[in-house]
Amino acid sequence: MDDGLADLLHRVVYLLGEATRRRTDDAAGLSYSQIRLLGTLEEIEPATQHRLAQAMSVSDPAVSRALRPLEAAGLVQVRVDPEHARRRLVETTEAGRKAFHDSGKPLYDELREGLLRADFPYERYLADTERLAQILEGA
């Protein structure tokens, strides 16, 4: 790999890590784990708690504990599976989807600004990424 590209990628990873740590330390917002849970759930919902645990590579009890505050805050809904009374289905609520997407916006803005300050060719990278996505969609 080209040393210049390796250096750019290293800076991107560093900036992402720093931004994520700052957001996780922010007690007013969602924790990284909560954001990750909401994002994972959005991709596979409705999901059983077991399926959610598998998708996140954590234990079933860890998911159960993580869901309690999110359910209390109205960000997820846990209900009995009508097809199997012992299973619980989990879905994000509209408030949960909004909280998840809103939590990413400041991180996106912070990352973009950090990359631009670090002389990363952000706009070119974005244009190339969009062009690649279009090519892959047509394939």
Side-chain angles (χ1 to χ4, degrees):
M1 179 184 299
D2 172 308
D3 284 344
L5 179 59
D7 182 53
L8 286 173
L9 289 173
H10 176 75
R11 286 189 285 172
V12 169
V13 171
Y14 174 78
L15 288 167
L16 272 173
E18 288 300 305
T20 302
R21 274 189 283 285
R22 279 193 299 279
R23 291 195 52 74
T24 301
D25 292 341
D26 178 13
L30 295 170
S31 71
Y32 172 76
S33 296
Q34 290 171 322
I35 292 169
R36 182 172 168 245
L37 189 148
L38 289 172
T40 303
L41 182 58
E42 185 177 63
E43 290 179 11
I44 63 172
E45 70 181 341
T48 62
Q49 289 184 17
H50 178 71
R51 174 67 185 109
L52 185 56
Q54 286 179 323
M56 295 181 66
S57 299
V58 298
S59 69
D60 288 6
V63 165
S64 183
R65 283 189 304 273
L67 286 171
R68 285 187 206 120
L70 294 174
E71 186 177 23
L75 301 178
V76 298
Q77 178 183 27
V78 181
R79 61 182 169 83
V80 174
D81 184 342
E83 296 178 14
H84 194 290
R86 292 189 57 197
R87 274 195 300 235
R88 302 290 176 261
L89 291 177
V90 184
E91 296 178 275
T92 53
T93 62
E94 188 58 38
R97 281 186 284 282
K98 182 176 179 348
F100 171 71
H101 290 283
D102 287 353
S103 70
K105 176 110 176 74
L107 183 58
Y108 171 84
D109 292 343
E110 185 176 340
L111 176 63
R112 181 180 183 281
E113 290 170 15
L115 290 171
L116 290 172
R117 278 193 308 275
D119 294 326
F120 184 84
Y122 181 82
E123 300 304 330
R124 189 186 84 207
Y125 167 78
L126 185 59
D128 289 348
T129 302
E130 289 172 352
R131 194 168 52 239
L132 178 60
Q134 291 170 354
I135 290 169
L136 293 174
E137 285 175 1

